[in-house]
Structure formats: C-alpha cells, structure tokens
Amino acid sequence: MSTLVVVGAQWGDEGKGKIVHFLAKKASYVARYQGGNNAGHTVVVGGKKYALHLIPSWILMRGVRNIIGSGVVVSPQAFQEEVLGLEKQGISSRGRLFLSLGAHVILPYHILLDGFREDSGRGIGTTKRGIGPCYEDKVARIGIRVCDYLEPDVFKGLVSQNLKIRSAELTKLKPLASIEKEVFKSYDQLRRFLQPYCADTSLLLSQALAKKENVLLESAQGAMLDLDFGTYPFVTSSSPIAGGAAIGSGIGPASIESVLGVTKAYTTRVGLGPFPSEMESKRADFLREKGHEYGTTTGRPRRIGSLDLVQLRHAIRVSGINALAITKLDTLSGTGPIEVCVAYKWKGKKLAHFPWSRQIQKEAKPVSLKLQGFDGDLSSARRFSELPKAAQDYVLWLEKTLQIPIPIVSVGPDLKQTIVRPIKTTTISQKKLFHFMGS
Ligand code: GDP
Ligand code: IMO
Ligand code: MG
C-alpha cells in the first residue's frame, strides 16, 4: 500500500496532470484536494489531448476511481460541462467519480465578484472563476456545501441570506433579483445532475486505506501560489502544498507516505506578482512559443523565467517533497546555455532563502549560473542514456545541488515521452514512491 501526494513545485502548470496520469498504473483512487476549475491539467494519451479542470487526471484511466475532495470548490455548471465534455470524448465518469458532500459550491455571484474585482484595478490576475470569493464565504462560515446544494429548502435559505450579506458589493454590479434569478436558472437540473456523484469521500478513502489500496492525491496550482507559503497576496485561496492534502481529502496526515514534486526545467507563472527569475522578453518569447506556454484554462501567455533554486528549495521544504519529476526538458533544447538562479541579491545582500517580505520578493534579482546547453530532439528519448550528455548533466547537477532524487524526466506531452530513472532509494518515503512507479 502507498499514499502519495503529487504537488506543483513552482507557480502551477508544471505538468502535474501528465505526471499524475503517468503514475496511474497502481492506484485505486486519485483525489483532488483543493482549488477548483481555476486549474487546467493537460494530458495527452496516444496523441489525443484532454484538458481537465476539476476532475482528477485519472478519469482517463479506466478502472481508477476519482474523488473531488471537500477542500475543492466546485461550480456545478463547470462540473456538468466537464463530465459531459469527457463523455463526448468517450470517457464516462458515472460510478467512478465521487464528489465530496463537504466541497463548497461556486455560484454565479462568486464569479461576478471575482471578475469585478479583477477589472476594477484591485486584481492579482486571477482566473475569474470565482475561486477567491467562494473560499471567502467558506472561511466566513456562510459558504454553501454540496450537501446544502442538494437540499432545495436549505439552499434557497442560504442563497437569500448570502445575497443580503453581500448586497453592498453586489448591488453595484447587478440588481439582486437578477443575480438570484441566475442562481436558480438551472438549479433543479444541475442538482439532479450532481446528485448521483455525491458521496462521503473521506469515508471512501479511509475504506480504501484500510484495505491497503494505493491512493494518490493530486494538487492543483503550486507551492508559490499557496495561500500561506506562496507569494502572498498574489496567490490562490487554498493550500496546494502537501499539508493541504490531508485537510482537503479527509485522511489523517500520518497516512501520507510520500510527496512527489513536479517542476519544469525552467519556470513559468500566469497572472501578476513577483517572479525573481523572470527572463528578458526576447528569450522569454522564444521559450513561450517553443513550449506552447499559454494557460490551459484562460489561454493567457505564461511569463517565463529560468529555473529558480531558491524558490524550488522553498517548495521542497514546505511540502516535504521526497523526490522531483522534471518536465519539459525537451523545450530547453536548442535555446543556448542554461541559466539557473542559485540565489537572490537584494540591496547588496545575497539571499539563500525565499523572503517573506513582499517588497523583497518584488525587488530581488537573480544570481545566475550558466550551464552548458544542449541541442537536438529529446522527445523520442525513452532512456536517460539516450539524452544528450549536457541534458543528462543538467539533471544530475540539479539532483546533486538540491540533494533530492529526480526519478522522472519528461521529454514531451505524451505519456510515452517519460523517462523513469532507476534510483537507489534511501528512505521509506522514497521506497513508497517507487512502489507507485512500478519499479
Ligand atoms: P499542470 O497544470 O501542472 O497539469 O500543467 P498544464 O497541463 O497546465 O501545463 C503543462 C503543459 O505542458 C501541458 O500542455 C502538457 O501537455 C505539456 N507537457 C507536460 N510535460 C511536458 C514535457 O515534458 N514536454 C513538453 N513539451 N510538454 C509537456
Ligand atoms: P494548475 O492546476 C497556474 C493563478 C492565477 C492567479 C492566481 C489566483 O493548472 O497548475 P485564482 O483564480 O486561483 O484566484 O487566481 O493563481 N492560478 C494558476 N496559475 N496554474 C494554475 O493551476 C492556476 N490556478 C490559479 O493565474 O495568478
Ligand atoms: Mg495548468
């Protein structure tokens, strides 16, 4: 048995969807534990592309059961669209997708508020999916959970209470009556659609753990977008770090046995906020086009930077990452010498650790090291030894410098384009992780 958390080790879009799906062989359950349809996880299987937002990537793997945990915020509309979209692609979710009764629902007024705040100059570059306002209601203890949504009288009462509470802000945007109308427009149909998927997912997971089945917990976003440990306030409103997995899925923290971090071979970020290793525009444009660095959810161009070891060490620490998967090594090919940020400098000082101060985060400049670049097409390599020597050296150097094993190297979007490196495991957590990888 093994319980593994897969987390993003940067600002999201590291390729978690692909890596989670790659690890599918041995699991009986995969659970998303936070975030909502702000996430966009692209998985390519046999040349066919799937974009997932709410549903865990393993829905594509027949026989695996999927959970949307209580830490996730769920738009019933988006849930229905995603399930139906997958059905059109031949993937059925019935009987193997379970939505937590404790997840909070995103309603049209959350989306309205998110968009309004973004457009009114107070924005941080959100995805405008209503994520922040929905989590605000949850923390304010006025949120509406899936179990409340399923009970029409309870739901109606809560909506009318919440519209009153939020009326000062909402009435600036639309009359309350029309907002309420929108909430109830498709309510009965959506409630009936959701009902068969709803379950006590914490109970399902605990039963699986009792039977010694393998469970994988999939994060959305990444460590630097974490509400507590990210570049606050330019963060999302949940906890993508591994600690969030226990809370958002309802299993005990001691059940989590290992944590795999996913990082790109360079760095990207969508939205506003500090980005110390951000590249100058010409090189960034080149990498963006080469790596198709446009958001899966919003289509926005991603900002591009060099790999940032200060940031990565921070992510490794706050999630207790035991090993890393590195993606998009193929994209770096042919881009010249590889720059890596190894420290920050700020006002003449050298910083080895990620700073808390928002001012320092904004003003810190990278201390960079240049490593030898590599050329050629990496995407057909299936063994580490088939990679150009300088590409191998880059991975080995990272492993040594960060003092963390890198057992997975990804060289293309397709599942086939994944290299597993046999690595000597030294800790129980690493052994558990390797058990998942089937080696
Ligand atoms: P996620 O949000 O962490 O799941 O990542 P996204 O799916 O938003 O973004 C990663 C993008 O890179 C997707 O389009 C993937 O198909 C693609 N991808 C993943 N791994 C690789 C890789 O090793 N090489 C290349 N070229 N693309 C990759
Ligand atoms: P995946 O799971 C990259 C960013 C937004 C914005 C900030 C807050 O695909 O890695 P929100 O809508 O959550 O309130 O926006 O977080 N963001 C992401 N960036 N990948 C994601 O998810 C993201 N989800 C949110 O761009 O800066
Ligand atoms: Mg993404």
Side-chain angles (χ1 to χ4, degrees):
M1 178 204 71
S2 185
T3 310
L4 169 68
V5 185
V6 177
V7 291
Q10 297 170 311
W11 275 277
D13 299 330
E14 297 90 348
K16 299 175 291 294
K18 171 187 165 164
I19 298 299
V20 164
H21 195 61
F22 177 75
L23 295 167
K25 283 171 278 184
K26 291 207 168 177
S28 59
Y29 270 111
V30 63
R32 268 278 304 274
Y33 58 87
Q34 48 67 236
N37 60 326
N38 49 350
H41 300 173
T42 312
V43 182
V44 182
V45 191
K48 218 169 156 190
K49 198 167 170 176
Y50 302 88
L52 298 150
H53 300 282
L54 259 176
I55 300 177
S57 323
W58 279 3
I59 199 75
L60 306 176
M61 190 68 81
R62 287 170 220 282
V64 178
R65 285 161 291 169
N66 291 258
I67 280 177
I68 297 176
S70 53
V72 178
V73 284
V74 178
S75 150
Q77 186 80 44
F79 179 89
Q80 174 175 264
E81 276 167 23
E82 197 161 328
V83 168
L84 295 180
L86 282 169
E87 261 170 33
K88 272 200 194 129
Q89 291 182 285
I91 312 280
S92 167
S93 303
R94 281 301 279 270
R96 59 196 201 94
L97 174 64
F98 304 97
L99 170 61
S100 169
L101 288 159
H104 281 242
V105 291
I106 300 177
L107 294 170
Y109 53 85
H110 295 123
I111 299 167
L112 190 67
L113 284 173
D114 198 2
F116 168 68
R117 291 173 191 174
E118 281 301 306
D119 298 338
S120 66
R122 289 193 285 141
I124 58 159
T126 74
T127 58
K128 300 187 184 175
R129 298 295 190 268
I131 306 295
C134 182
Y135 278 117
E136 277 171 31
D137 281 3
K138 174 175 177 173
V139 179
R141 294 168 295 190
I142 58 166
I144 301 177
R145 299 162 303 164
V146 168
C147 60
D148 303 319
Y149 191 79
L150 296 181
E151 294 179 20
D153 290 342
V154 174
F155 180 64
K156 279 175 196 154
L158 288 171
V159 170
S160 117
Q161 167 205 279
N162 290 1
L163 290 181
K164 276 191 205 117
I165 294 173
R166 296 273 180 243
S167 66
E169 205 177 359
L170 285 172
T171 44
K172 282 190 225 150
L173 311 175
K174 260 188 186 179
L176 284 188
S178 90
I179 296 175
E180 191 162 16
K181 203 168 154 205
E182 210 179 324
V183 171
F184 288 106
K185 200 172 67 188
S186 313
Y187 170 61
D188 284 329
Q189 183 274 322
L190 286 172
R191 176 171 50 78
R192 279 195 292 272
F193 187 88
L194 245 59
Q195 183 111 48
Y197 295 96
C198 300
D200 182 340
T201 54
S202 161
L203 189 64
L204 292 179
L205 285 176
S206 76
Q207 287 164 345
L209 293 177
K211 283 192 267 170
K212 308 231 174 297
E213 291 178 358
N214 295 320
V215 169
L216 193 148
L217 301 148
E218 173 181 2
S219 97
Q221 290 86 49
M224 307 315 287
L225 291 171
D226 185 87
L227 185 57
D228 291 271
F229 293 100
T231 44
Y232 191 89
F234 299 93
V235 293
T236 193
S237 298
S238 65
S239 307
I241 62 167
I247 300 172
S249 65
I251 62 170
S255 312
I256 294 171
E257 295 165 303
S258 52
V259 182
L260 176 74
V262 184
T263 176
K264 278 181 186 158
Y266 48 96
T267 314
T268 62
R269 163 163 215 176
V270 212
L272 305 175
F275 188 179
S277 74
E278 189 161 19
M279 280 175 193
E280 49 80 20
S281 58
K282 214 168 146 203
R283 192 165 147 79
D285 290 347
F286 184 71
L287 263 172
R288 183 178 305 108
E289 295 314 312
K290 187 154 195 280
H292 309 291
E293 294 294 358
Y294 292 88
T296 308
T297 300
T298 57
R300 290 178 292 174
R302 295 175 181 147
R303 297 158 67 192
I304 316 277
S306 53
L307 194 73
D308 179 347
L309 301 198
V310 182
Q311 176 273 299
L312 264 184
R313 280 200 181 94
H314 176 81
I316 290 168
R317 170 160 52 87
V318 298
S319 273
I321 290 174
N322 306 114
L324 281 174
I326 187 163
T327 62
K328 296 205 134 174
L329 192 63
D330 54 308
T331 304
L332 273 190
S333 179
T335 61
I338 303 165
E339 269 190 30
V340 184
C341 167
V342 291
Y344 298 155
K345 52 179 185 273
W346 181 77
K347 295 203 169 159
K349 284 190 221 146
K350 200 165 166 183
L351 309 177
H353 301 292
F354 201 81
W356 282 96
S357 154
R358 57 182 90 188
Q359 202 59 24
I360 303 179
Q361 286 176 8
K362 195 170 146 197
E363 291 170 4
K365 295 277 172 267
V367 177
S368 298
L369 200 75
K370 266 197 181 139
L371 303 173
Q372 197 190 331
F374 44 86
D375 297 304
D377 177 17
L378 273 60
S379 65
S380 51
R382 296 292 172 267
R383 282 200 205 118
F384 193 63
S385 57
E386 290 167 18
L387 293 173
K389 168 87 170 50
Q392 293 182 33
D393 286 347
Y394 181 45
V395 175
L396 295 173
W397 179 83
L398 284 174
E399 206 167 40
K400 197 167 152 212
T401 311
L402 292 168
Q403 300 207 323
I404 195 153
I406 305 181
I408 299 176
V409 178
S410 170
V411 291
D414 203 285
L415 289 191
K416 287 183 299 199
Q417 295 166 313
T418 315
I419 296 170
V420 175
R421 296 176 58 223
I423 280 175
K424 202 165 164 253
T425 49
T426 50
T427 65
I428 292 176
S429 295
Q430 286 167 3
K431 283 198 179 94
K432 290 282 181 183
L433 202 159
F434 276 78
H435 167 71
F436 242 98
M437 288 166 33
S439 55

